[in-house]
Amino acid sequence: MARPLRIGIQLPEVERDVRWPEYVAMAQAAELGGFDSIWVGDHLLYRGDGLHERGPWEAWTLLAGLAAVTERATLGPLVACAGFHDPGMLAKLAATVDEISGGRLIFGIGAGWNHAEFDAFGFPYDHRVSRFEEAFAIVRPLLAGERVTFDGSYWHAHDLVLLPEPARRVPIMAGSNSPRMLSILLPHADAWNTWYDDYGNSAEGFSELNSTITDAARAAGREPLDIARSACVLVALEGATQDRPYDKEAPPVTGSPDRIAQHLLGLAEAGADEAIIVVSPITVESITALGEVLALIDV
């Protein structure tokens, strides 16, 4: 019997300093344990939230490395910030990672939100959605193998093409819940993802939010079932610390493997096609332990 939903894992971002050999070990443990997808956040710097300054490794470089040391799981940014790169360059990065991975990239994309990193790295934060709309109008056709000329208020492309030509049209995952962003993304997206605190980390909350996505898909002229639904899920295992703060309205899933498995199955019943686990603590040992949860779901 096929698993009722895909299960992914997010690798560490800023919970602690993690070096490349540990990322390799985690990704390979995830594949060995049966995870369907592996994700990394696309951020540059965190500050000003009451915690010490911290920042992750650059996402696209990390994804390229992970693509080379894994064989089966899909890979993707959760989600790529369109404001960190010229749109042509962003499409080039995505096409290259998809090539290295042998066609395993899922291109999650959004407009970004962390003002501090935009300021620190010198990226404009104003008119983020308008800038995103123009960037997406360049990125999307490029990843579909098209040639693009675009003259906007913020971004420009002149007879732009990706060469070598991408081996396939890279699938796009919408990483936003805002009505305007959804109106831009859903006419073209293959999937949609939401973070756990946007739906309260519960099956009931996901069902409610998911219904708004169904409505937005119809408004965008899409058949709702053509857009896969993806939910991040905060899970705390024994020994978890406050390395990833959470809102009291979205507490982590805790307890036995069976309880965690039942929570994930509840998300599937609520309409999720994929559950991406954000686990605390995030270690090789945690990823290995979650293999027991996946085995229960496979039964």
Side-chain angles (χ1 to χ4, degrees), residues 105-129:
L105 178 70
I106 306 295
F107 186 30
I109 187 169
W113 58 267
N114 184 356
H115 204 160
E117 61 190 346
F118 278 78
D119 285 349
F121 280 81
F123 299 126
Y125 192 79
D126 64 308
H127 307 291
R128 277 181 305 128
V129 178

Side-chain angles (χ1 to χ4, degrees), residues 27 39 73 102 132 166 230 242 260:
W39 304 85
F132 175 87
S230 169
Q242 289 294 325
I260 296 170

Side-chain angles (χ1 to χ4, degrees), residues 177 192 194 198-199 204-214:
N177 296 322
W192 159 83
T194 188
D198 289 329
Y199 69 94
E204 297 78 12
F206 180 80
S207 179
E208 182 177 348
L209 178 57
N210 190 37
S211 68
T212 70
I213 302 304
T214 293

Side-chain angles (χ1 to χ4, degrees), residues 48-187:
D49 56 4
L51 300 175
H52 66 280
E53 286 186 324
R54 60 215 195 280
W57 299 108
E58 195 282 316
W60 288 103
T61 310
L62 195 59
L63 284 167
L66 293 171
V69 299
T70 56
E71 298 179 353
R72 176 188 55 78
T74 57
L75 305 163
L78 195 64
V79 294
C81 177
F84 291 168
H85 301 278
D86 175 282
M89 192 66 223
L90 182 58
K92 188 76 170 178
L93 290 166
T96 302
V97 170
D98 193 59
E99 174 68 18
I100 295 170
S101 70
R104 291 184 287 130
L105 178 70
I106 306 295
F107 186 30
I109 187 169
W113 58 267
N114 184 356
H115 204 160
E117 61 190 346
F118 278 78
D119 285 349
F121 280 81
F123 299 126
Y125 192 79
D126 64 308
H127 307 291
R128 277 181 305 128
V129 178
S130 295
R131 292 177 187 276
F132 175 87
E133 186 170 23
E134 291 190 1
F136 191 61
I138 297 172
V139 170
R140 180 192 59 78
L142 283 174
L143 289 177
E146 299 176 24
R147 188 177 295 266
V148 176
T149 294
F150 184 89
D151 190 16
S153 298
Y154 307 102
W155 299 111
H156 307 273
H158 303 285
D159 196 27
L160 178 58
V161 63
L162 296 182
L163 295 174
E165 184 177 345
R168 62 170 189 151
R169 184 188 70 82
V170 176
I172 293 170
M173 184 175 77
S176 178
N177 296 322
S178 83
R180 186 178 171 198
M181 285 288 290
L182 290 173
S183 73
I184 298 166
L185 284 159
L186 290 189

